[in-house]
């Protein structure tokens, strides 16, 4: 009996984690945060002078937070089909992100050495680039799958 209650408690906790969603208005909040951070990135790049590395990192993180809010916000009509499409889009994003992380450094290395005779050293992609790619793939796949249903 004790073992069954432990398993039931673990199952409920896992279901709570899987079904975690923010209210639907967080999609708009995430959209505003992402939009403002993109706009500020352009302002920082073209209007501000000097070394703005801290502002650059803050804006990058704000963009990721905005996209994450958009990703985990509930849909207005959240049903089983929407949940399935969301999980499918997360799967696509994970697979595409893994392939991107494995292949892209070699592509960058090959292209940089083809155009620069002195060559460039091999380096991995950064966390921002990978997370941005995965969130973009998830959001695009989810909305495309939702339109096609």
């Amino acid at each position: 009996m004790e073992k069954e209650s432990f398993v039931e408690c673990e199952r409920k906790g896992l279901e709570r984690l899987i079904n975690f969603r923010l209210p639907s208005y967080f999609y708009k909040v995430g959209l505003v945060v992402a939009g403002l951070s993109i706009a500020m990135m352009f302002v920082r790049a073209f209007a501000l002078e000097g070394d703005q590395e801290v502002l650059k990192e803050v804006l990058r993180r704000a963009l990721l937070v905005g996209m994450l809010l958009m990703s985990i916000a509930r849909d207005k009509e959240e049903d089983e089909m929407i949940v399935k499409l969301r999980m499918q889009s997360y799967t696509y994003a994970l697979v595409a992100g893994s392939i991107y992380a494995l292949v892209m450094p070699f592509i960058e290395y090959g292209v940089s050495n083809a155009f620069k005779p002195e060559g460039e050293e091999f380096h991995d992609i950064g966390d921002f680039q990978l997370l941005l790619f995965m969130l973009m793939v998830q959001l695009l796949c989810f909305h495309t799958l939702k339109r096609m249903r």
Side-chain angles (χ1 to χ4, degrees):
M1 194 69 161
E2 188 176 306
K3 182 179 177 184
E4 290 177 10
S5 64
F6 176 75
V7 170
E8 184 67 24
C9 181
E10 288 295 315
R11 186 183 62 77
K12 284 181 183 177
L14 187 59
E15 282 181 5
R16 236 181 295 141
L17 182 65
I18 289 172
N19 295 326
F20 174 75
R21 299 280 175 267
L22 294 173
S24 62
Y25 65 86
F26 272 95
Y27 186 85
K28 290 180 183 175
V29 171
L31 194 61
V32 168
V33 169
L36 285 175
S37 62
I38 290 172
M40 285 302 298
M41 284 179 181
F42 281 111
V43 168
R44 186 198 66 82
F46 297 116
L48 299 178
E49 294 180 11
D51 187 26
Q52 302 286 335
E53 284 300 314
V54 174
L55 180 60
K56 178 181 175 182
E57 285 302 315
V58 167
L59 293 173
R60 290 170 121 194
R61 304 296 179 201
L63 176 61
L64 290 177
V65 168
M67 290 180 72
L68 183 64
L69 289 175
M70 291 167 58
S71 177
I72 61 176
R74 283 190 187 278
D75 217 34
K76 288 186 179 177
E77 63 243 12
E78 190 86 11
D79 59 359
E80 291 86 17
M81 183 64 139
I82 296 294
V83 171
K84 182 181 177 193
L85 295 177
R86 188 181 308 274
M87 289 302 129
Q88 197 173 9
S89 68
Y90 282 126
T91 303
Y92 290 157
L94 177 68
V95 170
S98 299
I99 293 170
Y100 182 76
L102 292 171
V103 172
M104 198 62 192
F106 294 107
I107 292 173
E108 286 181 3
Y109 179 73
V111 169
S112 69
N113 285 334
F115 288 114
K116 294 181 182 177
E118 66 272 2
E120 200 172 297
E121 67 182 43
F122 183 82
H123 56 86
D124 282 331
I125 61 173
D127 58 344
F128 170 75
Q129 188 177 357
L130 181 61
L131 287 172
L132 181 69
F133 178 77
M134 289 176 74
L135 284 168
M136 284 175 31
V137 167
Q138 190 275 325
L139 289 169
L140 290 172
C141 284
F142 177 65
H143 289 290
T144 302
L145 289 170
K146 199 166 74 168
R147 256 196 331 251
M148 291 173 40
R149 67 178 168 133

